[in-house]
Amino acid sequence: MDYGKWLQEQVKSWGMELTPEQLKQFALYYERLVQVNQKMNLTAITSEKDVYIKHFYDSLTLASQKWWGQVESVIDVGTGAGFPGVPLKIAFPRLRLVMVDSLKKRIGFLQDLTDELGLQHVETIHGRAEEVARQTRYRDQFDLATARAVARLNVLSEYCLPFVRPGGKFAAMKGPDAGTEVDEGKQAIEKLGGGSVESVHLMLPDEMGTRQIIIVSKSRSTPKRFPRKPGIPGRKPLA
């Protein structure tokens, strides 16, 4: 099966048109992911079908949301092997993309990958979100901060919301059982400058599972005391 063509057909309902060149970029991404994964633990998912559905399609679900057209800059926190940042950048070359990860080897992979894919206006940062978010050039600067399966919402909000400009959004990409995280994260979100919280439930094709995107609007700048020092958000989540 040609999974590139399959992906192209799947995203048409969102108004997304993938060109032959973009399909080649997705194919090369898959090739490099599997190749490098033999030496470095990037993903447990390696079959072509699973990668296209559980990584590529899943990453692109953010672009199915009605507010996506307002997004020009994205920071992907704890990006790992580049999800959701790289698929979004391939599909929307106009984006300014910054990817942050604490593991230097993964950042090295992403640097090589984005160079080979010919992606422009991409920055990869080796570091902790708590430290990067204190730098003026990244704080309160992004239309969208996103993270995929990194931490619980009350912790993840402290990693991500400081990057978002007032009026922008933070999207936490979760599995199907994240409902309780919304309730436990509301106080943390308010302290960090967040406003309304919306949950969107999605079904992956071919009964590959359900997903939930928790979308937080940023209503005001994050207070200067946040994020706290590295490690503290995980050990002592805001309540």
Side-chain angles (χ1 to χ4, degrees):
M1 182 172 176
D2 186 333
Y3 285 102
K5 292 281 182 65
W6 173 89
L7 184 65
Q8 187 180 47
E9 287 300 315
Q10 290 292 321
V11 301
K12 275 185 179 179
S13 63
W14 305 338
M16 190 189 304
E17 294 285 346
L18 295 177
T19 66
E21 181 59 34
Q22 288 167 319
L23 296 186
K24 288 179 184 177
Q25 288 175 309
F26 276 112
L28 181 55
Y29 189 3
Y30 171 68
E31 184 180 313
R32 290 293 174 264
L33 180 70
V34 173
Q35 185 181 59
V36 176
N37 198 61
Q38 294 175 349
K39 306 171 188 174
M40 185 194 317
N41 183 24
L42 292 171
T43 177
I45 297 169
T46 55
S47 82
E48 188 174 9
K49 178 180 180 179
D50 286 357
V51 168
Y52 268 81
I53 295 177
K54 294 185 177 181
H55 284 329
F56 296 167
Y57 177 93
D58 187 35
S59 294
L60 294 176
T61 56
L62 284 176
S64 70
Q65 301 306 299
K66 58 183 181 294
W67 42 263
W68 175 257
Q70 302 165 11
V71 175
E72 297 289 338
S73 56
V74 176
I75 185 163
D76 181 1
V77 178
T79 185
F83 306 118
V86 175
L88 288 169
K89 178 64 179 177
I90 291 173
F92 299 91
R94 61 178 170 78
L95 292 175
R96 172 199 172 203
L97 173 65
V98 175
M99 294 181 285
V100 180
D101 200 88
S102 60
L103 192 63
K104 192 171 184 179
K105 284 184 178 180
R106 284 197 290 253
I107 289 296
F109 162 72
L110 292 171
Q111 286 174 336
D112 292 342
L113 175 71
T114 53
D115 286 346
E116 191 169 4
L117 294 176
L119 302 178
Q120 304 294 315
H121 308 296
V122 176
E123 186 177 357
T124 54
I125 301 174
H126 171 233
R128 299 285 295 265
E130 303 99 315
E131 295 173 327
V132 179
R134 290 201 162 273
Q135 298 180 36
T136 306
R137 63 180 297 196
Y138 303 115
R139 190 178 183 87
D140 288 330
Q141 294 298 312
F142 293 87
D143 297 329
L144 177 68
T146 187
R148 190 168 173 257
V150 171
R152 291 186 72 82
L153 187 63
N154 55 355
V155 176
L156 199 55
S157 296
E158 190 168 355
Y159 294 156
C160 292
L161 273 170
F163 290 110
V164 182
R165 63 167 180 79
K169 296 185 184 298
F170 155 48
M173 305 185 75
K174 295 283 187 177
D177 303 319
T180 58
E181 294 187 36
V182 175
D183 291 332
E184 76 176 17
K186 280 183 177 177
Q187 287 189 348
I189 287 167
E190 197 282 326
K191 289 177 182 177
L192 293 160
S196 63
V197 181
E198 175 190 4
S199 293
V200 177
H201 294 266
L202 301 159
M203 182 77 71
L204 295 182
D206 285 6
E207 299 182 346
M208 284 281 193
T210 56
R211 296 288 187 267
Q212 184 175 358
I213 306 174
I214 302 170
I215 303 158
V216 180
S217 296
K218 181 83 174 277
S219 58
R220 56 187 169 81
S221 293
T222 301
K224 290 182 179 179
R225 66 183 183 276
F226 299 120
R228 293 168 292 168
K229 291 182 179 179
I232 294 178
R235 292 197 304 271
K236 297 180 180 179
L238 292 173

